[in-house]
Amino acid sequence: MNIEKIRLQEDKDWKKHWKKWGPYLTDRQWGTVREDYSPNGDAWGNVTHHEAKSKAYRWGEEGIGGISDHNQKLCIAWAFWNGKDPMIKERLFGLTGPQGNHGEDVKELYYYLDSTPTHSYMKMLYKYPQNEFPYDLLLQENSRRTKNDPEFELIDTGIFDQDEYFDIFLEYAKNDIEDIVGKATVHNRSNEEKTIWVMPTFWFRKTWFTGHEPFMPNLSLLGQKSIKAYNPKSGNYFFSFEGEPEILFCNNETNREKLYKIPNEKKYLKDGINDYLIHGKENAVNPENIGTKAAAVYKLTIPAKGKAEVKFRMTHQYKEDSFQDCDSILHERKRDADEFYSEIQARVKDEDMRNIQRQAYAGMMWGKQFYYYNVERWLEGDPGRYSPPKERKKGRNTEWRHLYNFDIISMPDKWEYPWYAAWDLAFHCVPLSRLDPEFAKSQLVLLLNEWYMHPNGQIPAYEWNFSDVNPPVHAYAVQRVYQIDKKMNGGKGDREYLERCFHKLMINFTWWVNQKDSDGKNIFEGGFLGLDNISVIDRSHAHHYKGKLEQADATSWMAMFSLNMLRISLDLCEFNKTYQYTAIKFLEHFLYIAGAMNNISGESISLWNDDENFFFDIFHLPGKEPKVMKVKSIVGIIPLFAVESIRLDMFDSLPDFKKRMEFFLKEKPKLAALVSSWIQPGFEKRRLFSLLRGHRMKSILNKMLDPNEFLSDFGVRSLSKYHEKHPYSLRINGDNLTVKYTPGESDSLMFGGNSNWRGPIWFPINHLIIESLRKFDYYYGGEFSIEYPTGSGNYVTMDIIARELSLRCIKIFLKDKDGRRPVYGNHPKFQEDPHFKDYILFYEYFHGDNGRGMGASHQTGWTGLVAEMIHKYYKSEKKTSENVESVFRIQ
C-alpha cells in the first residue's frame, strides 16, 4: 500500500485527521446568496468584487490558492501586487450575472495542477499580469457585447501578448496533519526585470459576533519573522517565514465608513493592508502588531526570465529552525503524489492523456469547499445584530428553514458556482470514488441527511433556489460508487453506506411520485431539471401559457430512478433477502412508467412519436388538442438511460421477486411487451430491463450517431444539428416560439443565458450515454451491432461505440496531429506557448462543432468525468481490436 493510501486509511479510521486542512476556501464568496442581505434578493449587487476587500463575510471566506481547517476557523491564502493595480490581488475577478453577456464569468487565468486526496501535496498555477489588470476594459467590452457575441476574456485583452506576466506556482506539503509548508515560486516571463509583492495572508473567519463564540481569537507578532495564531478552542498555531518580510496586521472587520458611510466601531479594518500598500496609509495597519488578519509582505525584484521563491511553514508547536527541511518535505510529498497517481493511472499509456486525467483529478480535489449556510439564522439574523430586511421572510428559500449546511462539499466550480448543486455532485462522486471512495460516499450521504433533505423528501437543489428540481440521478451515483468501491475493496461492498442511502432515497422517490406526477398517471413534469433552456418554452413556467407540459425526459429520469432503486434493492439482497420486496415495488414502478409513456392518461397519446421515431414532450392546452413539441434534443435520448443488465443467478436466489416477474409476464403482457424482455437470456445468462426494445433503441441510436444530427467529432450534441437549417417553431396563445441549433454560446435569455442546452456537448449526458451503451452490451455480449456512424455502412457492437464516444469526448482536450487542443479553439497563445499549452481548463460545456470550451472555465466537477472516461477507455482497450478501432479513428 502506497503512503497516500496509508494516510487515507488513517483518516478513515480516525487515527489521524489528514483531511483537517485542505483547499476549503472558496474562489468567490462575494455575490453569493448567503452574503446577500438586500431587501430585493440582489445577491450580485449586495457585495461586489471591489467592495469585497472591505467587507467581512458572515458565512465563508475566499482567497487565491487558499486553504483552511475543516471548520474554516483559520484561513490561509496568497495575495499579490504588481505595483500598478488599484488594489492588491487578494481575490479572483469576474463579471456578475447581469454584467456578462452570457452571465457570470471569472476573468482570470489559473489552473489546478495537482493534489492528493488528503491534500498532503497540492499545486496550482496563477497567471498574474505585470501591467495594470484590465478591470474596466473587461467590464466595458462585455457590456457592449450581445448574446450573439462570444465572451470577452482576459486573454483577449492582449495583456499576455508580450509575455509581461508572472507565472506563480503555489504549493502546499504536509509534514504532518498540522505541519504544513507553503511555497510560491514566481517566474518572471518578460524580457525585463520586474517587481512583485507576494503576500502569504492569514486570518480568522469572523465568528466572534454570532453569539456562538464570544471570545476573540488573534494573530500577533512573535519575534521578528513569525506569527502566533491563538484561538481558545483550537490552541496555538505558528507561522514562520523564510527571509525578511514586512509583517502587517489589521482586523477582519468591515470598513463601514467606506462602504456605508457609517462610523467604524473598530480600527485597522479588513482593507488595512491594501490601503497601507496601495495608498501609503500607515495608520491602516496596527503598529502593535496584533489583529485577526495578517500578511507577510515580500517585495521581490526578479530578473528577466528569472524566478524567486517565498516559503512559510505552519506548525502547532513553535520551531526555531523550521526551514531546514522544507524543501525535502515538498520533494517527498510530490514523490508520494506521483506514486499514488502512478497506481491510479497504471493502464493509461498515452502521456498526454495522463496529464489531462491528473489535472482533472487535481481540479476535483481543489474543488472542495467549506460550505456554511444556516437558513433559519440567515432568515432571522444573528442575536444582538441588525435584523435582515422583512422582505426576506417571504422570499428565497423560506420553506427550507430546517436546512443547516456546515460541511466540506465538492463544488461544481468554486468561482462561477461556489455552492453545491445536487445533480452536479452526483456526477462528481463517480471519478472521486477512484481516488477517495470514503469521501465520495460521504458526499452522497450528506445530501440525504435530514438537515439537508426536506422533510417532504426533496433533495436541495442549490442556494439560489433549493426548491428547484434537478434530475434524480442521486440513486445512480449511490449505486455506481458502491460498485466501484466494492471492486476496489476486493469484492466486499459497504452495506452500511448502501443501506443508509437506500432508505433516504425511498423518501425522495416518494416525493417525486407525490409532487411531480400531478395526475397520478406515472407521467412526470419536473420543470427545470437542469435542462433549463432546451425547450421551446421555459419548462419551469409552463403555466405562463396556461398549459401543462408532460416531459419525456422527466418521465425517463423516473424510469431510470426506478431501475437504479431496483438494482440497489437487489444488491442489498446479498445481505438481506427482505429487500427483494422493495425490488418488486420498483419493478412495478418501472413497468407502469413505461406503460404511461405509451398511453398517457389512457388517451392513446404517447411520448413516442411514430412519425419521427423519437420521444418528444407534449404540451396540453385546455380545450385544445395536445401539441407534440417536435424538438430533437437530448430529451428524446434520455429514455436510453433507463437500463439495467442483471445476472440470472441473482434472480434464482430471490424466489418471490422471480415469481412477481413471472406474474407480470403472464397477467400484464402489454406492459411487459413495452420493455426489453427479461425472459430472453442474454450474454452470461443476463436479463435486460430497459424502456427501449429493439426498434425504438435502434431508431434513437440512428439519430444519436448521425453526424448530421447529434453526433459531433467531440461527443453527442444536446440538440440535433438538423435544427440548424430547420428551426422548430410553435405558436402558443399568440406567441411565436422558436428553437434552433446553437452550437456555441447561448442566444437565449432564459435563466440569464449563461447555460446553453441548444447544441453544445455536455459531459454528464455523454457519460450516461456511454454507461448505458455498456449496459446494453453487457446483455448482448457482442451479438448486437449498430451502424456507426449512421450512414457509414460500418456496423459495430455497443461497447466499441461506447469506447469511440469516450474518445471523442477525450479528444476535446487531447493534442491533435498539429499539436492543438480543440478545447482552446483558435487562440495561438493557448495552443502554441510552452507556458500555456499543456495546462488544461475543464469548461462547463463545449462547442457542438469544434469542441471549444465555453461557460464556467473550472467546472472540473462534472467535466471531471473525462478522468473516468480515460480510465474506462483503457480498461476496455483489450476488447477493441486494432483494425476495428482504426476504421473510426477521429482525425
Side-chain angles (χ1 to χ4, degrees):
M1 183 181 292
N2 62 53
I3 295 173
E4 180 63 16
K5 284 191 173 181
I6 291 172
R7 293 190 190 100
L8 284 168
Q9 190 63 45
E10 288 177 339
D11 192 85
K12 177 184 176 182
D13 295 339
W14 297 88
K15 291 179 179 178
K16 296 189 76 170
H17 194 178
W18 282 106
K19 298 177 191 173
K20 180 173 182 178
W21 287 83
Y24 307 143
L25 266 68
T26 183
D27 290 339
R28 175 176 63 82
Q29 186 71 9
W30 64 271
T32 60
V33 166
R34 284 155 288 152
E35 302 298 340
D36 175 22
Y37 281 80
S38 68
N40 59 349
D42 179 20
W44 284 114
N46 190 57
V47 183
T48 68
H49 172 270
H50 285 15
E51 293 171 341
K53 66 181 181 296
S54 306
K55 171 73 174 177
Y57 295 125
R58 169 63 178 85
W59 298 99
E61 294 290 349
E62 68 198 1
I64 298 174
I67 66 172
S68 77
D69 63 275
H70 67 300
N71 291 324
Q72 203 164 98
K73 297 295 179 66
L74 182 57
C75 307
I76 305 170
W78 297 84
F80 313 101
W81 187 44
N82 56 16
K84 299 176 181 178
D85 284 351
M87 67 189 83
I88 63 176
K89 179 66 72 171
E90 292 181 278
R91 58 193 49 81
L92 299 170
F93 173 71
L95 303 185
T96 69
Q99 289 171 339
N101 62 323
H102 294 286
E104 63 268 26
D105 188 26
V106 68
K107 299 299 183 185
E108 303 268 13
L109 278 176
Y110 56 105
Y111 307 85
Y112 297 121
L113 302 180
D114 210 354
S115 179
T116 57
T118 66
H119 312 296
S120 57
Y121 179 75
M122 300 169 60
K123 184 178 183 180
M124 71 166 286
L125 167 62
Y126 176 62
K127 289 181 176 285
Y128 185 38
Q130 293 169 350
N131 294 311
E132 183 176 344
F133 196 90
Y135 293 109
D136 291 340
L137 176 60
L138 287 164
L139 282 165
Q140 293 165 7
E141 179 60 22
N142 279 284
S143 66
R144 185 188 68 78
R145 296 192 176 196
T146 70
K147 295 293 180 193
N148 295 317
D149 297 314
E151 295 171 344
F152 183 66
E153 305 292 4
L154 180 61
I155 194 77
D156 299 322
T157 66
I159 202 161
F160 294 102
D161 287 355
Q162 303 304 314
D163 290 337
E164 294 180 317
Y165 69 94
F166 298 104
D167 266 341
I168 306 173
F169 291 92
L170 304 174
E171 294 175 274
Y172 297 96
K174 293 181 182 179
N175 189 46
D176 207 337
I177 57 174
E178 296 192 287
D179 180 354
I180 303 174
V181 176
K183 177 182 176 182
T185 305
V186 185
H187 294 261
N188 174 12
R189 298 300 185 196
S190 77
N191 292 316
E192 298 179 3
E193 179 181 270
K194 296 290 182 178
T195 298
I196 183 174
W197 285 255
V198 177
M199 293 160 271
T201 306
F202 315 89
W203 71 100
F204 286 101
R205 180 168 59 86
K206 190 175 179 183
T207 59
W208 45 90
F209 70 97
T210 63
H212 291 300
E213 297 181 8
F215 49 80
M216 282 285 293
N218 66 72
L219 299 157
S220 59
L221 187 66
L222 182 66
Q224 295 299 311
K225 53 180 183 180
S226 296
I227 292 174
K228 175 183 174 181
Y230 171 71
N231 183 314
K233 278 194 172 181
S234 56
N236 297 328
Y237 289 94
F238 299 92
F239 297 94
S240 302
F241 307 98
E242 194 173 49
E244 301 293 336
E246 181 180 15
I247 301 179
L248 304 174
F249 293 83
C250 60
N251 289 305
N252 187 16
E253 299 281 358
T254 298
N255 190 332
R256 306 198 308 173
E257 185 174 326
K258 183 180 288 185
L259 296 181
Y260 312 120
K261 309 303 180 188
I262 299 172
N264 287 315
E265 294 178 343
K266 305 285 179 68
K267 296 176 69 176
Y268 317 119
L269 306 168
K270 182 180 177 181
D271 51 16
I273 296 169
N274 178 86
D275 289 354
Y276 174 86
L277 284 175
I278 304 295
H279 305 298
K281 293 183 177 180
E282 293 189 4
N283 63 352
V285 295
N286 191 344
E288 297 181 4
N289 295 318
I290 192 169
T292 51
K293 178 181 176 181
V297 182
Y298 290 84
K299 183 180 179 181
L300 307 176
T301 299
I302 307 175
K305 305 299 183 182
K307 69 176 182 178
E309 295 179 353
V310 169
K311 287 199 284 283
F312 72 85
R313 187 168 183 175
M314 182 196 85
T315 57
H316 232 332
Q317 302 294 325
Y318 182 67
K319 295 183 179 181
E320 287 285 349
D321 300 318
S322 58
F323 287 96
Q324 289 183 350
D325 57 349
C326 280
D327 287 335
S328 64
I329 292 168
L330 284 157
H331 176 75
E332 288 167 9
R333 294 300 85 79
K334 174 63 165 63
R335 185 186 61 201
D336 295 346
D338 290 342
E339 182 183 20
F340 176 78
Y341 281 107
S342 177
E343 186 174 317
I344 295 288
Q345 298 182 301
R347 286 195 182 98
V348 183
K349 299 172 184 176
D350 183 89
E351 193 59 37
D352 198 21
M353 278 201 198
R354 291 172 68 88
N355 176 47
I356 293 162
Q357 188 184 50
R358 186 151 174 182
Q359 289 190 50
Y361 283 141
M364 302 200 77
M365 291 289 98
W366 275 89
K368 298 178 184 179
Q369 178 185 322
F370 169 77
Y371 186 89
Y372 181 26
Y373 191 13
N374 178 339
V375 173
E376 186 164 41
R377 177 62 64 89
W378 181 76
L379 291 169
E380 299 293 339
D382 294 303
R385 306 287 297 177
Y386 65 88
S387 298
K390 64 180 185 299
E391 292 89 344
R392 167 167 296 193
K393 294 186 179 181
K394 294 183 180 179
R396 180 178 285 134
N397 295 328
T398 52
E399 66 275 29
W400 288 82
R401 283 178 170 267
H402 74 285
L403 191 140
Y404 185 93
N405 303 153
F406 191 91
D407 295 284
I408 304 301
I409 309 178
S410 176
M411 296 290 136
D413 176 321
K414 288 204 296 187
W415 194 96
E416 193 150 332
Y417 301 107
W419 27 259
Y420 64 88
W423 83 306
D424 295 58
L425 185 62
F427 291 112
H428 302 184
C429 290
V430 176
L432 280 171
S433 64
R434 302 284 178 193
L435 307 181
D436 187 356
E438 293 307 311
F439 179 69
K441 289 185 288 184
S442 72
Q443 292 291 284
L444 294 170
V445 168
L446 191 64
L447 265 61
L448 299 173
N449 283 329
E450 56 271 19
W451 53 92
Y452 277 72
M453 180 185 277
H454 197 281
N456 65 18
Q458 185 177 9
I459 294 174
Y462 44 83
E463 69 177 32
W464 288 89
N465 183 4
F466 285 121
S467 294
D468 233 332
V469 184
N470 285 172
V473 293
H474 214 81
Y476 157 75
V478 164
Q479 201 276 332
R480 189 75 191 94
V481 168
Y482 171 78
Q483 291 294 340
I484 292 172
D485 179 51
K486 181 179 180 180
K487 187 169 185 179
M488 292 172 64
N489 199 30
K492 183 180 179 182
D494 187 342
R495 173 185 179 176
E496 182 180 349
Y497 151 74
L498 191 61
E499 205 163 23
R500 181 177 177 183
C501 290
F502 179 73
H503 288 291
K504 289 298 184 72
L505 287 166
M506 289 268 285
I507 299 170
N508 180 238
F509 188 92
T510 303
W511 174 83
W512 270 91
V513 170
N514 290 337
Q515 297 295 321
K516 295 301 174 181
D517 177 13
S518 60
D519 295 331
K521 302 293 187 180
N522 293 296
I523 293 293
F524 294 82
E525 297 159 53
F528 173 72
L529 279 179
L531 314 181
D532 32 61
N533 63 0
I534 198 166
S535 181
V536 71
I537 64 171
D538 178 347
R539 303 197 312 168
S540 291
H541 298 92
H543 60 272
H544 172 76
Y545 295 100
K546 299 181 175 60
K548 185 177 75 169
L549 186 67
E550 288 169 331
Q551 295 177 214
D553 60 327
T555 306
S556 301
W557 284 123
M558 281 304 291
M560 175 184 168
F561 194 176
S562 299
L563 286 182
N564 295 149
M565 294 296 278
L566 166 63
R567 180 56 191 261
I568 294 173
S569 297
L570 295 175
D571 286 339
L572 286 170
C573 285
E574 178 184 344
F575 309 104
N576 186 343
K577 295 293 191 291
T578 302
Y579 283 102
Q580 66 182 305
Y581 303 105
T582 56
I584 291 169
K585 169 186 170 60
F586 291 110
L587 171 63
E588 291 180 351
H589 270 291
F590 169 67
L591 289 171
Y592 286 126
I593 289 170
M597 289 180 74
N598 288 274
N599 187 11
I600 298 174
S601 303
E603 298 175 7
S604 300
I605 301 170
S606 175
L607 295 174
W608 174 262
N609 185 273
D610 285 321
D611 294 332
E612 298 286 346
N613 286 319
F614 207 63
F615 286 100
F616 298 111
D617 290 346
I618 292 179
F619 194 67
H620 292 263
L621 287 164
K624 296 183 179 179
E625 286 292 314
K627 292 182 179 289
V628 179
M629 304 175 75
K630 294 185 178 181
V631 180
K632 294 182 182 180
S633 73
I634 53 172
V635 165
I637 293 175
I638 288 171
L640 191 72
F641 302 164
V643 56
E644 283 292 340
S645 173
I646 301 172
R647 299 188 322 272
L648 179 62
D649 58 1
M650 185 174 282
F651 300 143
D652 289 340
S653 63
L654 305 172
D656 287 348
F657 178 75
K658 189 175 183 181
K659 181 179 179 181
R660 189 62 176 169
M661 283 202 308
E662 291 169 351
F663 168 83
F664 269 100
L665 280 173
K666 181 180 178 182
E667 302 296 335
K668 303 279 186 178
K670 290 183 179 179
L671 282 181
L674 291 172
V675 300
S676 291
S677 176
W678 58 74
I679 195 64
Q680 181 65 38
F683 180 67
E684 294 182 343
K685 297 184 178 180
R686 293 179 180 271
R687 295 293 188 265
L688 186 68
F689 296 85
S690 169
L691 279 181
L692 305 176
R693 297 201 67 165
H695 167 68
R696 291 187 178 182
M697 180 178 64
K698 288 180 180 179
S699 297
I700 288 175
L701 292 179
N702 179 269
K703 290 181 174 59
M704 189 185 83
L705 302 175
D706 187 343
N708 296 313
E709 295 223 33
F710 288 96
L711 185 65
S712 161
D713 284 348
F714 305 101
V716 176
R717 303 176 174 106
S718 49
L719 190 75
S720 173
K721 195 174 174 68
Y722 169 84
H723 291 302
E724 183 176 42
K725 295 180 179 178
H726 306 92
Y728 176 76
S729 297
L730 182 67
R731 186 174 179 82
I732 301 179
N733 297 340
D735 291 343
N736 289 313
L737 307 172
T738 301
V739 168
K740 65 178 181 180
Y741 173 69
T742 312
E745 284 87 353
S746 174
D747 62 359
S748 169
L749 291 174
M750 286 188 197
F751 296 86
N754 65 325
S755 57
N756 184 356
W757 289 90
R758 298 188 171 190
I761 292 150
W762 296 77
F763 267 72
I765 296 299
N766 275 266
H767 170 74
L768 288 177
I769 289 169
I770 292 163
E771 290 268 286
S772 298
L773 291 174
R774 288 196 174 106
K775 288 181 180 180
F776 278 113
D777 190 73
Y778 293 155
Y779 174 74
Y780 290 112
E783 297 299 321
F784 189 94
S785 296
I786 293 287
E787 189 180 25
Y788 172 81
T790 301
S792 67
N794 298 304
Y795 285 79
V796 293
T797 56
M798 291 200 190
D799 62 326
I800 292 176
I801 296 173
R803 191 164 189 262
E804 288 295 322
L805 290 180
S806 295
L807 184 60
R808 288 174 185 254
C809 291
I810 295 165
K811 285 199 170 184
I812 288 172
F813 305 101
L814 275 175
K815 294 177 185 175
D816 63 16
K817 63 181 184 299
D818 299 317
R820 301 171 67 82
R821 302 183 192 275
V823 63
Y824 289 139
N826 294 320
H827 205 290
K829 196 75 172 175
F830 284 141
Q831 297 287 15
E832 299 166 11
D833 192 303
H835 300 304
F836 281 80
K837 65 180 184 177
D838 290 330
Y839 300 124
I840 311 298
L841 292 175
F842 298 90
Y843 288 86
E844 185 177 2
Y845 52 92
F846 303 87
H847 193 285
D849 293 338
N850 59 38
R852 178 172 58 88
M854 297 180 295
S857 56
H858 293 76
Q859 187 106 355
T860 326
W862 65 18
T863 301
L865 287 164
V866 69
E868 182 69 5
M869 290 179 180
I870 291 171
H871 175 87
K872 298 297 280 288
Y873 178 81
Y874 276 97
K875 185 179 178 182
S876 63
E877 184 178 30
K878 292 180 180 179
K879 299 174 75 175
T880 308
S881 66
E882 197 170 305
N883 62 330
V884 171
E885 182 181 359
S886 66
V887 174
F888 309 109
R889 178 69 63 191
I890 305 165
Q891 300 300 323

